[in-house]
Amino acid sequence: KSKNFDENSEYDDDGLAGVSPGFDDDDVSNIDVERLESIKNHLLSLDISPPNSFEDTRSAQYAALIWLTRDDPRQLDPESRYLGQRYGLAVLWFSTTETGYEWHVPEEYVNKVGVPKNQDGGGGSRKLNEPSTWTNHDGWLSELGICGWEGVKCYPHDDFGLDHDGNMDGDVSRLEMRKNNMKGLLPMEVYTSLPYLSYLDFSDNGFAGTIAPEIGRLVDLEHFNLTSNSIGGSLPPDIGDMPKLKVFHMSKNLLGESIPKTIGELTKLRDLDLSVNMIKGTVPYELGKCTQLSSLRLGWNQLFGNLPHEFEQLNALITIDLSHNTLGGPIPVEIGGITYLQSLRLGNNRFSNTIPTEFGNLIHLDDLMLNDNKFTGPLPIELGNLVGLNHLDLSNNQLDSYFPPQWTGMVSLQTLDISHNSIKGEIPRSIVEMNNLRELNLSGNDFIGIVPTELGRLFKLEYIYLQDNEFNGGVPKELGELTKLKKLVLHNNH
């Protein structure tokens, strides 16, 4: 038995609005109430959306319910195991507009099944040629099974490499919608309706809002990427409930507060990138439990305090970037025991004391950036062991002593910047052995003596900065042999 909503009605006995400012009068006409109630009850039994979300006629949840009930060409059985997933994806579609939670469908869907048009002829609240339309959306809200909707992949059909059949429904395993012009609040239904999701990439879009605690229900999730959006708030402790998570990227968002201690429960985590946010607090020592972590990027935040000694347990780390925070204290010498570390970026913080000599053990290091801190003491001669190092930046510290001759063993070095310290003495003539140098910056120190003629044999040099020292004598004519030289700065010497 079906019942039509009268155009003058406001609410039926079940609290569903018949007419609302979010829809045309005809948008809720010809509703099979029995089917609607069956679908709603099934969705409520799955605990996908809060019950009150179906009462808000401007909500994406209400729009998705009406669509599933009446306008979905596929007309799934209310008890279908795929109904909840189809509903969750529909909520995602209806949520991501510039105009808010108003019903919208693609123009081709309007033409195909006759959904009522607005006065301007558009389908709901947007048209395909408007900026708020997804860049890639083939098949969405069509008669195709959800496995045929662009950006959606299902298990087991896709993961086993079988021929893809867009007419099939399946359990969603991947959502790949990077740089897709998706704007609006990220609905919790992404977490609650897709229990088999293992891969989510919504990077480079326009999502706002916060990460809902329900994210912890994605127990099969391995890859989560929301880089370059506008997600704010704090990371919920529930992220620790995703035991399979390997990649968690939320760089370039608006996250604040502190990193939850439950991050330590992600024992399979390999790649954590929370850089370029507004995260406060300390680096949690619980990160030491993430022993499979190979990349840790927390730069450009507001972190403070000392680094935890538990870093010594992170032997799989290849990349550490904690630059541009307000971290301080001495650097734990245990970092020198992370054998396969390739990039260590700790610049623009408040680290103090001496640079650990143990860094000389990091023989796989490619980048070492310790600039703009408060390091004191001599330049560690042990860094000369880093024969594969390409970039070394110790500028803007309080380092003193001499340029170690042992450093000329860094034969792969391309950029060397020890500017704005208190280094004294002469430049060792053995610097000629650093024949891959492209940039040499010794400015703002207390170097004396003449500029060594050997610099003229470093034929790859493009930039030389020797200003603000105590050099004397003339400019060596041998520098004229540097055919790639673009800039030579020597002012404020003798």
Side-chain angles (χ1 to χ4, degrees):
K1 181 179 180 181
S2 67
K3 172 177 129 182
N4 294 342
F5 283 95
D6 184 85
E7 64 177 5
N8 296 317
S9 67
E10 294 183 357
Y11 295 89
D12 73 348
D13 292 337
D14 298 304
L16 288 169
V19 179
S20 78
F23 296 91
D24 294 332
D25 290 353
D26 291 337
D27 282 336
V28 287
S29 64
N30 301 316
I31 292 289
D32 183 337
V33 175
E34 184 177 343
R35 173 174 168 79
L36 184 145
E37 285 302 310
S38 295
I39 291 176
K40 185 179 74 166
N41 290 333
H42 181 61
L43 295 175
L44 290 174
S45 72
L46 296 174
D47 193 24
I48 294 176
S49 298
N52 60 1
S53 63
F54 296 124
E55 298 174 9
D56 180 0
T57 59
R58 286 187 177 272
S59 72
Q61 292 81 5
Y62 181 86
L65 175 61
I66 297 297
W67 177 76
L68 277 175
T69 301
R70 186 191 62 193
D71 299 312
D72 180 3
R74 201 163 183 83
Q75 291 293 292
L76 289 182
D77 185 283
E79 297 300 320
S80 170
R81 64 167 292 175
Y82 303 117
L83 183 77
Q85 298 181 63
R86 193 172 181 87
Y87 163 78
L89 294 177
V91 172
L92 173 63
W93 173 269
F94 289 126
S95 294
T96 47
T97 70
E98 293 178 344
T99 53
Y101 293 155
E102 293 184 11
W103 199 1
H104 56 278
V105 292
E107 191 67 33
E108 65 265 26
Y109 182 67
V110 172
N111 296 333
K112 186 169 185 178
V113 299
V115 172
K117 297 185 180 182
N118 292 335
Q119 292 180 355
D120 62 359
S125 66
R126 72 181 193 179
K127 295 181 291 187
L128 288 177
N129 59 353
E130 291 180 350
S132 60
T133 305
W134 295 3
T135 304
N136 303 301
H137 53 77
D138 288 351
W140 279 73
L141 272 65
S142 72
E143 73 284 354
L144 294 177
I146 51 178
C147 301
W149 295 8
E150 189 167 10
V152 179
K153 293 187 177 181
C154 295
Y155 175 90
H157 316 297
D158 299 306
D159 289 354
F160 276 91
L162 302 178
D163 292 338
H164 183 77
D165 185 351
N167 290 317
M168 296 181 65
D169 284 303
D171 293 319
V172 176
S173 64
R174 298 170 70 94
L175 293 178
E176 302 178 31
M177 300 178 187
R178 178 182 177 273
K179 206 170 185 180
N180 202 33
N181 199 36
M182 303 168 76
K183 303 175 183 179
L185 299 179
L186 183 61
M188 62 177 282
E189 286 77 9
V190 172
Y191 314 130
T192 58
S193 68
L194 306 173
Y196 304 101
L197 192 66
S198 65
Y199 185 103
L200 184 150
D201 188 349
F202 285 170
S203 59
D204 296 288
N205 281 292
F207 285 109
T210 61
I211 299 296
E214 287 78 9
I215 191 174
R217 290 172 59 173
L218 294 175
V219 295
D220 284 337
L221 194 67
E222 297 181 5
H223 184 109
F224 184 84
N225 189 351
L226 275 178
T227 299
S228 296
N229 282 279
S230 298
I231 303 294
S234 59
L235 291 176
D238 310 78
I239 64 171
D241 294 334
M242 298 183 287
K244 297 182 180 180
L245 194 64
K246 297 178 181 178
V247 176
F248 191 78
H249 285 183
M250 286 201 67
S251 175
K252 300 178 182 177
N253 278 280
L254 303 172
L255 294 172
E257 303 305 321
S258 59
I259 300 172
K261 295 181 179 181
T262 52
I263 196 82
E265 302 301 317
L266 304 177
T267 55
K268 293 189 177 181
L269 192 63
R270 297 178 182 175
D271 191 343
L272 176 62
D273 188 353
L274 300 176
S275 60
V276 196
N277 279 284
M278 298 180 289
I279 299 173
K280 305 175 179 64
T282 59
V283 178
Y285 71 86
E286 289 84 358
L287 268 175
K289 300 178 184 178
C290 303
T291 55
Q292 296 188 34
L293 199 63
S294 63
S295 179
L296 175 63
R297 295 180 174 91
L298 303 177
W300 293 91
N301 279 290
Q302 300 172 23
L303 297 168
F304 57 82
N306 295 354
L307 292 184
H309 289 274
E310 285 76 7
F311 266 46
E312 67 177 331
Q313 302 169 30
L314 303 179
N315 293 320
L317 273 174
I318 295 175
T319 299
I320 299 176
D321 187 351
L322 303 176
S323 62
H324 295 275
N325 283 284
T326 55
L327 297 164
I331 295 180
V333 297
E334 291 86 355
I335 291 180
I338 303 177
T339 308
Y340 296 101
L341 197 61
Q342 296 179 11
S343 179
L344 178 59
R345 296 173 177 263
L346 303 177
N348 294 93
N349 278 287
R350 298 178 182 175
F351 291 114
S352 57
N353 214 327
T354 59
I355 297 173
T357 58
E358 288 80 0
F359 282 4
N361 299 326
L362 302 174
I363 58 174
H364 297 284
L365 210 56
D366 180 78
D367 299 316
L368 178 58
M369 305 296 182
L370 303 178
N371 55 288
D372 294 274
N373 280 285
K374 298 181 179 181
F375 290 115
T376 58
L379 301 174
I381 62 175
E382 290 81 3
L383 296 186
N385 298 331
L386 307 180
V387 295
L389 193 66
N390 287 320
H391 307 284
L392 175 61
D393 189 350
L394 306 180
S395 63
N396 294 296
N397 280 286
Q398 301 166 26
L399 300 165
D400 53 26
S401 191
Y402 301 90
F403 189 114
Q406 295 89 341
W407 274 24
T408 57
M410 294 187 283
V411 293
S412 299
L413 208 59
Q414 298 179 30
T415 60
L416 172 60
D417 189 349
I418 56 173
S419 63
H420 301 287
N421 283 284
S422 299
I423 312 301
K424 51 185 177 288
E426 297 184 353
I427 301 176
R429 296 183 179 277
S430 56
I431 196 172
V432 69
E433 298 174 19
M434 305 172 79
N435 55 16
N436 283 302
L437 271 179
R438 288 173 168 78
E439 180 174 340
L440 176 64
N441 193 343
L442 307 181
S443 64
N445 281 288
D446 299 316
F447 283 104
I448 61 173
I450 63 171
V451 176
T453 59
E454 285 78 6
L455 288 182
R457 293 163 58 188
L458 299 176
F459 298 113
K460 294 182 180 180
L461 271 173
E462 299 177 14
Y463 303 93
I464 303 176
Y465 301 94
L466 302 178
Q467 72 271 22
D468 299 310
N469 279 285
E470 304 293 330
F471 291 115
N472 55 48
V475 178
K477 64 180 181 180
E478 287 81 1
L479 297 186
E481 302 296 322
L482 301 177
T483 58
K484 294 184 178 181
L485 193 64
K486 298 176 181 178
K487 197 167 188 178
L488 172 63
V489 186
L490 296 167
H491 65 260
N492 289 342
N493 282 285
H494 299 295

